Each structure stands twice: as C-alpha cells, then as structure tokens.
Amino acid sequence: MSRIDAKFAQLRAEGKKAFVAYVMAGDPDYETGLKIVKGLPGAGVDIIELGMPFTDPMADGATIQLAGQRALEAGQNLEKTLQYARDLRKEDNTTPIVMMGYYNPIYSRGVDAFLVDAKEAGIDGLIIVDLPPEEDDELCIPAQKAGINFIRLATPTTDDKRLPTVLQNTSGFVYYVSVTGITGTAAAQAGDVGPEVARIKGQTDLPVIVGFGIKTPDAAEAIAKIADGAVVGSAIVEKIGAGESVDDVLAFVKSLAEGTHRG
C-alpha cells in the first residue's frame, strides 16, 4: 500500500476528507520554502503537492507563475526540489508527497534517473500537467512500475467519451480541476462541481480531489462535502509572495485544513 493509499484509508476511518496543500519548491527562497514545507503536516495537511519550478508554466495563473520565477531566480532546480523531500522524510515518513509540474525538467534529467532519485527521496506521486494519456509510455507507466502513483487531471471539458482514457492508468487519486482555465482565477462552486465529481466516481474507485479556485476555509469545507478532499494552492502561494512570515502562512494553511476536515 502506498503512502497515498494509506492516508486515504486513515482519513476514511476517521470520517475525514483530505486536505492537499500546494506550494512551489524554493519559493521565496530555499530555506524559507523548506521551513514552510516542513511545517505543513503540523498545520493539518494530509498530502503535500510540491511544485517544480519551470520557465514556461502554461497551466498556471499569475500567482504561481510568479512563485516559479522567484524560485528559479533563487536558484531552485529539480535536484533541490528532491532534496526538500529527503529533508522532510528525515522527520516525517507518513505524509504523502506529490510532485506537480511539467515534463521538461524530468525529461532533461532522464526519466529512468529521475524515477530512481524520486523513489529514493520519498516521492509518492506525480502530477505532470502537459503529458496526456496518449503519452503514458513516456513517464506514467514507468512511474507506476517504480512504485510512484501517476495522478491525472480531469476537467469540466473531460466528457464521458474521454474520461475512461484519462482514468485508465491513473492511480492514487483523481484531481478534478473545478474551473475551465488556469490556476488562481475563477472560484470553485460546489453546486457545479458536485455532479462532475459524482460522474467521475461512477467510473472509478479512486478518491476524487478537487482543486483550482478554492481560496477560503468555507470554500474548502463546501468542496469537501461533495468530494474526497480539496486542494488549495494559489491562495497559499499568494501569502508567500506577499512576504508573510512562515508562521502566518502556516496559520492560514491550518485554517484551510480545519475547513476541509469539517466537510
């Protein structure tokens, strides 16, 4: 059983939904970013999404684009992002870590070498937004063979004809993108999302987690009531970008986690 599977089993037993927090590795700098990541489990985060900074983040809105730029300018790279996971694993061997980003840095490193390093570092899953199911042989299937979950995105435009293809090699959980467009823009509406989550759950036994457009504890609670959990990224990254202290960022994360866990 993977750490992701174990976490969902634990949450189910506790009658809770999953709170997933996204942060950009290396934002605003290596040390501050690492303090935030290490503080996430204690703030109630069930699964950590660790953003891999990349120069051309086409699925991301301004908030996460700027976070990536800050991280890159501070010298963050793929190796340093893997080091975050290694450092967290020294004190936490249960919280799942999912790396999220784009294929180019992994391709540049070499898929085989990356998967060996990621497994050794304690990475549990990958969300690679620019690799469609038609390219599963490229990374998805090798990752699964290496014991790393490959988590796929489903969107409002993923119709019933396309959905089985999206779900085919997905593992860990399904990430439902609640709005059409880029990160950090429109707000997620539970009334719109509920039927879509039900539609996806009709075709898979995997948990369905909802992200994009969730900015407040109340919004996280509303989404958690109709899904298996909520992801918050841009709202957290915005506070980091505004220069808020690590303690203040983690206090905000804690409020989001509490909202989700009420769902």
Side-chain angles (χ1 to χ4, degrees):
M1 181 182 281
S2 71
R3 285 191 191 93
I4 294 174
D5 295 337
K7 178 59 68 174
F8 279 110
Q10 175 199 332
L11 290 166
R12 276 192 297 273
E14 295 172 357
K16 288 182 181 177
K17 303 299 179 69
F19 177 60
V20 184
Y22 170 97
V23 293
M24 179 67 72
D27 177 35
D29 56 68
Y30 186 87
E31 290 301 330
T32 307
L34 183 58
K35 285 177 186 173
I36 292 168
V37 168
K38 285 185 170 184
L40 293 176
V45 173
D46 298 304
I47 298 173
I48 296 170
E49 271 184 24
L50 203 50
M52 298 182 282
F54 179 53
T55 52
D56 189 21
M58 59 189 175
D60 292 310
T63 299
I64 290 178
Q65 284 191 29
L66 288 169
Q69 288 175 18
R70 289 191 297 268
L72 290 168
E73 286 167 7
Q76 191 73 10
N77 55 29
L78 187 56
E79 176 55 36
K80 289 181 177 180
T81 302
L82 289 168
Q83 190 59 43
Y84 268 30
R86 295 185 192 105
D87 288 348
L88 181 64
R89 287 286 171 245
K90 290 173 187 173
E91 52 197 59
D92 182 329
N93 200 38
T94 58
T95 303
I97 305 172
V98 175
M99 291 180 76
M100 183 171 186
Y102 300 84
Y103 183 44
N104 185 280
I106 295 171
Y107 178 79
S108 297
R109 192 181 186 92
V111 167
D112 292 344
F114 168 76
L115 290 174
V116 168
D117 293 341
K119 187 69 178 174
E120 173 268 326
I123 299 298
D124 303 291
L126 298 173
I127 302 173
I128 307 300
V129 299
D130 55 348
L131 271 183
E134 287 75 15
E135 306 295 335
D136 274 357
D137 288 340
E138 194 79 20
L139 178 62
C140 171
I141 291 170
Q144 311 260 41
K145 286 179 179 174
I148 296 173
N149 290 133
F150 199 88
I151 296 145
R152 191 82 67 193
L153 303 175
T155 74
T157 59
T158 307
D159 60 19
D160 287 336
K161 184 178 179 184
R162 178 68 173 167
L163 186 57
T165 304
V166 169
L167 296 173
Q168 185 175 2
N169 290 314
T170 302
S171 63
F173 59 89
V174 179
Y175 186 133
Y176 179 68
V177 176
S178 63
V179 297
T180 303
I182 53 178
T183 59
T185 51
Q189 301 297 328
D192 297 332
V193 172
E196 292 297 296
V197 170
R199 182 170 68 90
I200 295 167
K201 290 179 82 68
Q203 295 200 35
T204 180
D205 292 330
L206 291 171
V208 180
I209 305 298
V210 176
F212 283 48
I214 303 168
K215 301 172 185 292
T216 66
D218 287 348
E221 180 180 356
I223 289 296
K225 286 183 189 305
I226 51 89
D228 296 303
V231 185
V232 180
S234 293
I236 299 169
V237 171
E238 205 165 63
K239 291 190 174 290
I240 296 169
E244 295 197 15
S245 69
V246 171
D247 286 347
D248 286 347
V249 170
L250 293 174
F252 176 61
V253 170
K254 187 170 189 287
S255 73
L256 295 164
E258 288 170 348
T260 305
H261 292 149
R262 287 195 300 268

